[in-house]
Amino acid sequence: MFSEIMVPLDGSDRAEQALPCAVRLAKGLGATVHLVRVDEFVASLTSTFAAPYIPPGVYEAEVGEVKAYLTAVRQRLASEGVRARSEALTGTAALSLLEYEQAAHIDLLVMCSHGRSGIARFTLGSVADRLLQHGSAPVLLVRAFSAPPDLTRVLVPLDGSVLAEAALRVVSALAHTVIREVTLLRVIGAEDEETEAQAYLTAAALPLQHDQLTCRIRVARGEPAQAIINVAGKEALVVMATHGRSGLTRGALGSVADRVSRGGAAGI
């Protein structure tokens, strides 16, 4: 399912915290890692000035620095036995990454939740939001300020909708090669919903048990995003769809996913 993995980088050590997860996945799946960096140098100037003057050699030096950086990272991954390619792009970060995702047939993004910040550099947090909203590939968002997640243990929040259950396909695809243990979570608002929730999770767990995964079910009460963060802790990877059931009695999973990622949980 995952053969082309993209890792957006911005030249910072913080953004490179996504690399250990990408390397582990690539080794387990035999996938190619695409190291992509967007140079927003010209775009940042044209957004401010109608006809910017760029001194001779400045832009060429900027591009050369980006390419040299990507080459160094690619060679580092190659020394670890990972097949990798690098691509230096120009333009606005989110749009350039979305276009590359489509052109290169990327089927998984692995990126850090935050990267370098400043007027002339994009922040990976805002770019991650755009990729989650508008991209077609799943996004594995790695926490910026803690150790990489243990990819062998995952938490899958479900709300009873078919759209939310799409996350189970990701888990099945990563079974055996990466994932070993799965917890299915249903967050309820009232105690009388627990019996139905337990039955639903038990049925949802059956296909995963056929994948020979250790599968647990859990029902929690409370606000969905906070409940997910509490159950996941600092170790489990959260795998969830960006959209699920909506309506007056259910929050859309898109907003919950956003709050979970901002709340410190690593997840797809």
Side-chain angles (χ1 to χ4, degrees):
M1 183 177 180
F2 300 126
S3 59
E4 307 294 333
I5 300 173
M6 180 168 78
V7 182
L9 299 170
D10 65 1
S12 68
D13 291 340
R14 190 178 298 168
E16 289 185 22
Q17 287 182 241
L19 289 174
C21 288
V23 166
R24 186 168 183 178
L25 287 166
K27 287 182 176 180
L29 301 169
T32 298
V33 176
H34 297 245
L35 305 166
V36 183
R37 181 172 172 181
V38 182
D39 185 353
E40 289 196 308
F41 178 73
V42 174
S44 64
L45 292 177
T46 54
S47 65
T48 307
F49 305 103
Y53 170 72
I54 303 175
V58 171
Y59 177 67
E60 290 77 9
E62 176 84 7
V63 173
E65 176 190 340
V66 169
K67 290 183 176 179
Y69 164 76
L70 289 173
T71 297
V73 178
R74 176 169 50 82
Q75 291 174 343
R76 196 166 79 218
L77 265 60
S79 69
E80 298 181 48
V82 175
R83 184 169 59 251
R85 57 179 294 185
S86 58
E87 190 72 34
L89 307 176
T90 58
T92 57
L95 180 58
S96 297
L97 291 171
L98 286 169
E99 290 176 345
Y100 185 85
E101 175 190 313
Q102 294 296 318
H105 305 291
I106 299 298
D107 41 36
L108 178 65
L109 277 75
V110 181
M111 64 186 299
C112 193
S113 58
H114 295 79
R116 180 184 299 190
S117 62
I119 294 175
R121 304 288 183 181
F122 65 82
T123 57
L124 283 181
S126 61
V127 174
D129 290 342
R130 294 281 301 277
L131 294 174
L132 280 167
Q133 293 169 11
H134 303 293
S136 58
V139 179
L140 195 167
L141 200 58
V142 178
R143 287 185 293 256
F145 306 105
S146 61
D150 178 4
L151 299 180
T152 64
R153 297 176 55 243
V154 302
L155 173 69
V156 183
L158 299 172
D159 67 357
S161 69
V162 173
L163 289 172
E165 290 170 6
L168 298 175
R169 295 197 296 270
V170 175
V171 174
S172 292
L174 297 178
H176 308 302
T177 56
V178 179
I179 295 174
R180 297 286 184 270
E181 180 181 319
V182 182
T183 298
L184 302 184
L185 172 68
R186 180 81 178 262
V187 182
I188 60 175
E191 186 176 352
D192 60 5
E193 299 176 15
E194 184 165 355
T195 299
E196 183 275 335
Q198 290 277 1
Y200 166 72
L201 292 176
T202 299
L206 289 176
L208 299 178
Q209 292 170 345
H210 293 158
D211 288 332
Q212 297 183 348
L213 292 169
T214 299
C215 193
R216 297 179 174 86
I217 62 173
R218 181 164 177 179
V219 177
R221 290 179 61 185
E223 193 279 320
Q226 190 58 54
I228 293 167
I229 292 170
N230 292 343
V231 175
K234 296 182 178 180
E235 298 168 354
L237 177 73
V238 180
V239 179
M240 64 186 298
T242 55
H243 295 84
R245 182 182 303 195
S246 61
L248 296 176
T249 60
R250 300 285 182 180
L253 272 187
S255 61
V256 175
D258 180 68
R259 292 183 61 190
V260 169
S261 62
R262 292 179 184 276
I268 295 181

